[in-house]
Structure formats: structure tokens, C-alpha cells
Amino acid sequence: MDVLIHMFVGLHIIGIAALLGGFLTQMKATGQGAARFTPAMLHGALTMLVTGAVLVGLNQAQDHPVDNVKIGVKLAVLVVVLGLVYVKRDAEKVEKPLFGLVGLLTVVNVFIAVLWT
Ligand code: HEM
């Protein structure tokens, strides 16, 4: 079971790579006001949600302690990110502040994950 948990942590990391990587590839376009939410960002955010939920279940099934407050905060931040990316997924251009907010919230989630012990 531990191998399965580690595999899902790996998938969880692939999800953040797609979400944050998708954001970073748009940095130049953001400066020109022409950034858009790429499919990689939407699929990365969805991957985070699904693999995160699976990780909660697998850890609980193994009686590994899960910090519900930390997970709840990560989930709340991700839901905002996912909602914004989903609603604007077909927009050819996304306003700079909105695009920046999604990147900021994503980075915040990375630091919540690694600093909240
Ligand atoms: C963009 C959002 C997210 C980021 C950047 C992120 C990042 C990470 C990272 C780096 C890890 C491995 C390090 C660690 O064990 O703490 C991890 C583990 C984990 N994540 Fe996430 N995560 C996100 C969203 C979520 C969500 C939405 C959930 C639940 C629905 C979740 C549940 C978990 C669980 C259960 C673990 C393993 C158990 C633990 O040690 O805390 N994550 N996450």
C-alpha cells in the first residue's frame, strides 16, 4: 500500500508540474495582456484534486495521520484556482490580474504543502 501512496504522490507532483508549468509558459504573454489558461493548467488542477482526494483515502485506510486543516486549506485554494481556470478555459485572453491571481494561489499552495508541518 505504501508503494501505491508514493505513486499517487508522484502523480500529485505531475499535476502541479502541469498546472504551474502551464502558468509559467504564459508569463511572456501575460506581460502583453495576451495570456490564456492552457489545457495543461486545467488538467493539472483536476489531477491535483483527484490525486489529492485519493491520497487522503489511502492514508486514512493505512491509519496514517492526515492533517485535515492543512488539506482543507489546500483544497479551498485549489477549488478557487480550478473554478477560475474552468470558467475561463475558452477565453482567448485573460486579464493580467486574474491570471496573476491563479499563479499566486498555485504558488501559495506549493508553500502550504511544503512548509505546513
Ligand atoms: C495546487 C494544490 C496542491 C499542491 C501544490 C500540493 C502539493 C503537495 C505536495 C508537494 C505533497 C507531498 C509533500 C507532502 O507530503 O506534504 C502533497 C501531498 C499530499 N497532498 Fe497535496 N497538494 C495540493 C492539493 C491537494 C489537495 C486538493 C488535496 C486533497 C483533496 C491534497 C492532499 C494531499 C495528501 C493527502 C498528501 C499526502 C499526505 C501528506 O503528507 O500530507 N493535496 N501535496
Side-chain angles (χ1 to χ4, degrees):
M1 189 79 126
D2 277 351
V3 175
L4 198 56
I5 291 178
H6 293 145
M7 282 182 67
F8 271 94
V9 172
L11 292 173
H12 205 54
I13 288 170
I14 290 172
I16 189 61
L19 174 57
L20 190 58
F23 172 80
L24 292 173
T25 60
Q26 297 292 297
M27 291 295 267
K28 193 172 174 196
T30 310
Q32 298 155 351
R36 62 171 301 163
F37 293 134
T38 58
M41 294 177 72
L42 178 61
H43 297 141
L46 276 169
T47 303
M48 296 310 290
L49 184 65
V50 173
T51 54
V54 171
L55 280 169
V56 171
L58 290 175
N59 277 290
Q60 282 180 348
Q62 283 284 82
D63 284 333
H64 290 169
V66 177
D67 185 336
N68 288 323
V69 182
K70 174 182 170 181
I71 299 297
V73 173
K74 281 205 303 183
L75 179 60
V77 174
L78 180 67
V79 164
V80 174
V81 168
L82 185 54
L84 291 173
V85 174
Y86 183 77
V87 168
K88 294 272 187 176
R89 68 191 183 285
D90 289 329
E92 304 230 329
K93 286 181 188 171
V94 177
E95 307 78 51
K96 221 189 266 191
L98 184 62
F99 199 77
L101 177 66
V102 164
L104 178 70
L105 291 176
T106 301
V107 171
V108 164
N109 245 354
V110 169
F111 283 102
I112 290 172
V114 295
L115 293 178
W116 188 324
T117 48

